[in-house]
Amino acid sequence: MTNIKERAKELNGKIIEWRRHIHRNPETGFETPMTEAFIVERLREMGIEEILEGVGKHGVTALIKGERPGKVLGMRADIDALPVKEETGLSFASVNGRMHACGHDAHVAILLGTAKMLAENRKDLPGSVKLIFQPSEENSEGAPAMISDGVLENPSMDAIIGLHTGNLWEGPSTGMVGYRYGVLMAATDWFTVTFEGKGGHGATPHLTVDPVAMACQAYIAIQTIVSRETSPLNSAVITVGSINGGSAPNVIGPSCTISGTIRSLDAGTRAMLSERLKTVCKGIAQSMRGRAEVQLITGAPPLNNDSEITDKLREAAASIVGEEAVTEIAEPTMGGEDMAFFLEKVPGCFFFLPSMPGEGEVFPHHHPKFDLDESVLWIGSAVMAHFAMTWQ
Ligand SMILES: [Zn+2]
Ligand SMILES: [Zn+2]
């Protein structure tokens, strides 16, 4: 067996080249045909034969069969970008008005690096590795779409791993690997509430039923679902991200719409928050002589890491970067990740590869100036490849 760590370092130039190509040509949501074609070409070059295109519209799966007997391991990378106009000024900046502002370009390149090493080491690879390149992570729709296209079958997976790079977590710094047992990321749900009343003149509010007033009351009241009805030791978020109502200073409009996101770390809290939001909004509207239409959209569940797989991931990471550079992430994040849909069905581990740029200001994910440190991408490839060689 080749030395995975040394081979991954050698491959980093290639990994960076792949990342830059994808970075220059970002695609969003399910509309990722160029990225799909690029991935398929690279996998074919590596001599990987069992490639399936068009899974979850423009996702790709591929199976690398080891020559030793064993179980099936899944590895997932998300491949979608964002509708953000890039302002990094990088030589390989986006050319089409969209942007890889979350690092998913690096995720694709890292998994291609892993695939290359595994294809080179088929003789020593136990079982099989199923590569999953998934579109549409940013709106939590890609994983369910791939699942309904059969990604969990033929063959079914015994474990699954994946990573996020960038600067999402506090604690670990560039060159380290962060992991966490149990819940790592929040359930992500969405709501839109339309308050309906009766429009009229701003000078005669008593002749109208004011939907803006209802929305204002509801805005305050729904915060008490977190502050008064959720245990202070439990984490929950309800954010109202938009309020839209009215058209002129002296007009009371007929409706006002609020929308936002709900985050929670367990199923019970998750169900309670949605249910109470609905009841509170409807109740406030009714008490103010109007009505509320509540639309709830269910996103990704909480992301839960399996203890046994996480143990093995931690060991694989330590053998690549050393024990001292592997660290437990102290707290879950209220950010969401649709890898959670896979982890609901298959035990596994989603881990973190920090890659903050060494110089200049560090911009957050989804920012037009977001960038990452490419020099550590090989670590992601090496940890995943080493895990595949040693986990069973
Ligand atoms: Zn993102
Ligand atoms: Zn992301």
Side-chain angles (χ1 to χ4, degrees):
M1 187 171 102
T2 45
N3 181 321
I4 294 284
K5 182 174 174 176
E6 292 314 312
R7 182 70 182 123
K9 279 186 186 169
E10 262 171 38
L11 280 175
N12 206 43
K14 206 71 195 153
I15 294 169
I16 291 171
E17 189 187 310
W18 292 329
R19 182 246 163 174
R20 291 184 177 190
H21 176 87
I22 297 160
H23 190 89
R24 193 190 291 273
N25 303 285
E27 296 178 293
T28 55
F30 282 109
E31 297 309 317
T32 54
M34 289 190 303
T35 313
E36 175 189 32
F38 180 81
I39 292 164
V40 169
E41 274 168 42
R42 301 291 78 74
L43 294 175
R44 289 216 175 104
E45 278 170 11
M46 294 171 198
I48 296 167
E49 285 119 27
E50 290 190 46
I51 303 169
L52 274 180
E53 298 171 59
V55 187
K57 194 153 186 187
H58 288 296
V60 180
T61 67
L63 196 67
I64 305 174
K65 286 185 174 162
E67 288 175 24
R68 288 170 50 206
K71 299 178 188 172
V72 181
L73 170 66
M75 291 186 180
R76 174 276 204 177
D78 44 9
I79 71 173
D80 57 321
L82 288 152
V84 168
K85 198 167 162 16
E86 179 160 355
E87 294 172 14
T88 60
L90 291 165
S91 61
F92 52 92
S94 165
V95 292
N96 65 16
R98 300 180 286 257
M99 181 185 174
H100 269 291
C102 201
H104 301 183
D105 49 347
H107 300 169
V108 175
I110 288 169
L111 188 52
L112 287 173
T114 305
K116 183 152 179 62
M117 286 187 278
L118 295 178
E120 290 169 355
N121 285 281
R122 273 206 184 88
K123 239 158 58 72
D124 298 303
L125 176 67
S128 308
V129 171
K130 186 187 267 194
L131 308 169
I132 301 171
F133 294 91
Q134 179 216 301
S136 215
E137 189 285 322
E138 293 290 356
N139 54 19
S140 300
E141 289 176 350
M146 289 193 91
I147 290 171
S148 67
D149 274 1
V151 76
L152 298 179
E153 292 119 46
N154 297 320
S156 62
M157 293 172 277
D158 300 287
I160 188 164
I161 59 172
L163 64 79
H164 210 302
T165 194
N167 55 7
L168 285 164
W169 280 264
E170 275 178 44
S173 53
T174 302
M176 295 177 81
V177 172
Y179 67 94
R180 185 175 162 83
Y181 295 100
V183 64
L184 174 68
M185 299 184 76
T188 310
D189 299 319
W190 311 92
F191 63 89
T192 301
V193 184
T194 304
F195 294 95
E196 281 162 7
K198 190 176 141 200
H201 200 293
T204 55
H206 60 295
L207 302 178
T208 74
V209 175
D210 186 354
V212 171
M214 293 176 220
C216 292
Q217 294 286 350
Y219 180 92
I220 304 292
I222 60 182
Q223 291 309 321
T224 65
I225 302 169
V226 175
S227 70
R228 304 289 83 190
E229 300 183 37
T230 307
S231 163
L233 299 176
N234 192 1
S235 299
V237 175
I238 303 180
T239 289
V240 177
S242 82
I243 302 187
N244 287 295
S247 57
N250 59 350
V251 174
I252 292 171
S255 69
C256 181
T257 300
I258 66 173
S259 65
T261 185
I262 308 175
R263 307 293 169 108
S264 55
L265 297 176
D266 66 81
T269 308
R270 185 185 194 192
M272 182 279 279
L273 294 171
S274 290
E275 196 45 50
R276 289 293 297 145
L277 179 110
K278 196 168 161 182
T279 306
V280 166
C281 289
K282 282 185 174 290
I284 283 174
Q286 197 191 15
S287 74
M288 296 176 78
R289 301 173 298 145
R291 55 187 294 277
E293 195 65 55
V294 181
Q295 198 194 354
L296 293 162
I297 297 168
T298 307
L303 185 147
N304 261 299
N305 282 331
D306 178 83
S307 298
E308 234 172 277
I309 306 290
T310 304
D311 263 336
K312 289 183 177 142
L313 193 284
R314 193 180 48 73
E315 284 165 26
S319 66
I320 300 299
V321 292
E323 208 57 75
E324 64 292 341
V326 182
T327 184
E328 187 165 7
I329 296 161
E331 291 170 338
T333 154
M334 300 311 280
E337 169 55 72
D338 84 347
M339 173 76 176
F341 285 107
F342 292 120
L343 290 168
E344 226 180 14
K345 307 280 185 196
V346 183
C349 179
F350 190 68
F351 65 101
F352 185 45
L353 177 72
S355 57
M356 280 77 87
E359 284 159 32
E361 199 178 335
V362 175
F363 293 95
H365 286 247
H366 296 199
H367 190 281
K369 291 185 176 167
F370 172 79
D371 191 21
L372 44 79
D373 181 348
E374 296 173 317
S375 71
V376 297
L377 300 184
W378 67 271
I379 296 173
S381 302
V383 170
M384 295 210 284
H386 189 87
F387 181 92
M389 304 303 289
T390 57
W391 74 286
Q392 43 181 310

